[in-house]
Amino acid sequence: MNKYEKWLFTEIALWRDQGIIDQNQAQQIRALYQNQPEPAWGKVIFSAIGAVIFGLGIILLFAYNWEAMHRFVKLSIVLLSVGITHSLGYYFTAAHSTHKKIGESLHLLGTMLFGAGIWLVAQIYHIDEHFPNALLVWAIAALTLAWLLPSLAHTLLALVLIAAWHWFEVFDFDISNHFAVWLILLGIFPLAWRQRSPVTLFFTLVLFLFTYCASYIQLDENHEASIASLIFSLTCCYILCSQLALASQFPQASNPIRIVGVSVFSVVLYICSFSDVDDLYFKDNISLLTLSYFLLPILFAAASLWLLVTRFKHALNDRTDLIEISIVILVTIIALLTSIQTLALNSVSILLYNLLFLAYSMLLIYRGIRILRWQSTALGTLLLSAFVFARFMDLFDSLLMRGMAFIVIGTLLFGVGLYYSRQKQKVASEGYHHAE
């Protein structure tokens, strides 16, 4: 139970005691807000840390006498340690057990020992193999247990291992590693959704964006400059999906999806608004594989937009949502057209990027004030401040003009903060009088 549910249930009990509602109505209201229990992150984190440290201790203990052991003894130790640890974990996670967190910690320890065992077996039998493959096998093992148990700790471990595996493949061995994209898309995303964990979903979204873009860059270095249009396509999908999530059985997913989408979209749009960034187009002929990296998010965004317009219109509960989606789609279309060198739209696109960035910043401020979402207001004011600072530093050398600009924007932001505070107090006051 989170702090908001505790507050609500306390208020319900107070209303019942004051005779505002009866016991039956109190139970009905409580039933409307009975969500799935949130993960005990304190227990998960400390159990995971304990399992990792304990596993490292065992590994170092064996390493002390490792050279003196026969290779069959070494192999037996590796297999038995993994088998015994997972067996104990299975016992403690059984239906009759009251110590399921201990069981999950033992399973995590077993998975850590399994990963160590991969390297130890390679060392015992002098296996000289492509070492990132060991990380992949380890990640698949962690992901399998994350599905079977299910386990948040194993999901996070799988995310870390996939990130490490992808990093080495792309940046050390210059391999595009397309499989990582599909592993996250088909293996991690459904799991994070099934676990109803916003934290896991957030890190999955970040990892997917990283793997997708890293694989694309490695695919063809001649097309690195077109990465901006690819990021716009992906973040467009994220922002559209954040609206769809509101109409799903997991509405809490909307927040992490929106945070990642809006943050990355805003930063890339800000970068593209500078005149120095004027070569965001394909430098060579486009291969079918390169084109497929754009087709996937474009088709997904089109499908999401169609669902929003036809089946989930109620998810667009505010007119600012429609304006935001329009701006995001317009920016994505401009970026895709600009990436075609023969159209020569660089100068026009920079002007449009500036205007749309300014409009988007103002929209975030207005949206935050309208629905009392301080995160949106704060991001909008930060983006607007960065925009004014950069543009006036570029266009005006006069300290007087710069000073006047900063005074105006400072006054505007002060007014935004004051108006937001008054709106919040007004809503709270109206809610109080309505309750009376």
Side-chain angles (χ1 to χ4, degrees), residues 296-367:
L296 182 63
I298 290 173
L299 292 175
F300 194 87
S304 301
L305 182 62
W306 180 80
L307 287 173
L308 277 173
V309 173
T310 58
R311 298 191 59 183
F312 300 102
K313 292 182 180 179
H314 58 281
L316 302 173
N317 51 18
D318 193 273
R319 65 174 178 269
T320 57
D321 296 331
L322 291 171
I323 299 173
E324 180 182 42
I325 290 174
S326 301
I327 291 176
V328 171
I329 292 175
L330 182 58
V331 169
T332 304
I333 293 173
I334 293 171
L336 291 172
L337 293 176
T338 304
S339 63
I340 303 174
Q341 187 176 4
T342 54
L343 296 179
L345 297 176
N346 290 324
S347 300
V348 177
S349 64
I350 291 174
L351 175 61
L352 292 175
Y353 285 148
N354 277 274
L355 294 175
L356 290 171
F357 182 84
L358 181 61
Y360 193 61
S361 302
M362 298 298 292
L363 177 67
L364 288 175
I365 295 174
Y366 176 74
R367 185 178 188 273

